[in-house]
Amino acid sequence: MKKLKLLVLASGGGTNLQAIIDSIEQGKLNAEIKVVVSNNSNAFALERARQHNIKAIHLSHKMFTTPEEFDAKLLSILKENEVNMIILAGYMKMLSPTVVRVYKNRIINIHPALLPSFGGPGMYGIHVHEAVINSGAKTTGVTVHLVDEVYDHGAIVLQEAIPVLDSDTPETLQQRVLEIEHKLYSQAIQLFAEDRIEISENRSFIKKNPK
Ligand code: GRF
């Protein structure tokens, strides 16, 4: 198995990016972040990358006349950096079907709820946790899933559940969910690093650890 060379896409603070950087530096995750790309020039995620000597690129659709030109640029960055896996970490844009096709089964996203519940358009950030609390659900959690052409839809790779407490506000729930995200995302990427994820008919399976 070739070593994982990652491109991380992030739009915001980048705490998931930071958790991945930390896991790599602590030797828990066998991968290298080649480049971090953000559609938002002020994203702290770009600053986190720079602080760890990782290439940081601002790339937005607004810089191009057509979506195809944006895709061509992103694909050229992926190629130049020999990226073999794309990690979405709080990226607020959808990748085009073109990019999804080129990196089929090699793009993952993290979602702060148990998909297929509380996903889809509009379900991002604090809105997810508001919806969970308003629904009366007693359990929520984190989902790492493959990215396909449909929002929050691809095969589920890993999930972890946590209870919703009667005392929870959307903010306290968001915080507890985020702590799980930071652990689960690196675990999921490590499964790819060990070549242990098998995908069949929109389901993903974890192969036993080859000893
Ligand atoms: C996380 O809750 C993630 O699940 C969602 O966006 C948020 C990003 O947070 N997709 P951060 O930028 O990694 O801190």
Side-chain angles (χ1 to χ4, degrees):
M1 173 65 189
K2 279 190 269 158
K3 181 165 177 167
L4 286 189
K5 294 179 184 172
L6 311 176
L7 177 140
V8 180
L9 282 160
S11 300
T15 64
N16 277 288
L17 165 68
Q18 187 66 55
I20 296 167
I21 293 173
D22 294 346
S23 297
I24 293 172
E25 290 183 353
Q26 291 159 9
K28 293 184 200 155
L29 172 55
N30 184 22
E32 180 190 354
I33 302 177
K34 298 288 290 185
V35 47
V36 172
V37 171
S38 182
N39 57 312
N40 170 7
S41 60
N42 294 319
F44 192 60
L46 289 176
E47 184 51 33
R48 289 181 195 273
R50 287 186 208 108
Q51 284 171 4
H52 290 264
N53 296 319
I54 299 167
K55 211 181 289 173
I57 300 178
H58 170 223
L59 188 70
S60 157
H61 283 85
K62 292 182 193 142
M63 299 164 150
F64 303 92
T65 348
T66 65
E68 289 74 22
E69 287 173 35
F70 172 89
D71 280 353
K73 182 65 189 172
L74 180 57
L75 288 168
S76 79
I77 293 171
L78 288 159
K79 198 167 173 200
E80 276 162 28
N81 290 283
E82 298 176 332
V83 170
N84 52 20
M85 183 153 193
I86 302 176
I87 308 295
L88 306 189
Y91 186 57
M92 300 300 284
K93 298 274 170 195
M94 256 189 96
L95 289 176
S96 73
T98 310
V99 176
V100 171
R101 256 195 307 276
V102 175
Y103 277 81
K104 188 172 163 54
N105 295 339
R106 306 296 295 172
I107 311 175
I108 56 174
N109 181 42
I110 190 156
H111 185 77
L114 294 177
L115 291 176
S117 296
F118 305 108
M123 282 292 167
Y124 62 89
I126 199 75
H127 304 300
V128 178
H129 308 289
E130 284 165 355
V132 167
I133 289 180
N134 291 338
S135 76
K138 299 294 183 198
T139 304
T140 185
V142 176
T143 303
V144 177
H145 65 97
L146 286 159
V147 170
D148 63 12
E149 283 91 344
V150 184
Y151 206 80
D152 288 339
H153 174 264
I156 291 168
V157 176
L158 278 186
Q159 284 186 312
E160 186 167 325
I162 60 162
V164 179
L165 308 176
D166 290 345
S167 57
D168 264 328
T169 62
E171 289 76 17
T172 60
L173 192 55
Q174 181 176 43
Q175 192 49 43
R176 291 211 325 285
V177 166
L178 199 53
E179 283 166 25
I180 306 292
E181 292 185 42
H182 294 161
K183 183 189 65 166
L184 204 70
Y185 218 1
S186 293
Q187 286 176 1
I189 300 167
Q190 180 60 19
L191 287 172
F192 282 91
E194 293 170 8
D195 200 15
R196 288 178 58 200
I197 298 294
E198 204 170 278
I199 296 125
S200 164
E201 294 174 15
N202 204 37
R203 290 179 66 195
S204 113
F205 301 89
I206 301 175
K207 295 185 232 168
K208 289 212 174 65
N209 207 349
K211 290 256 159 66

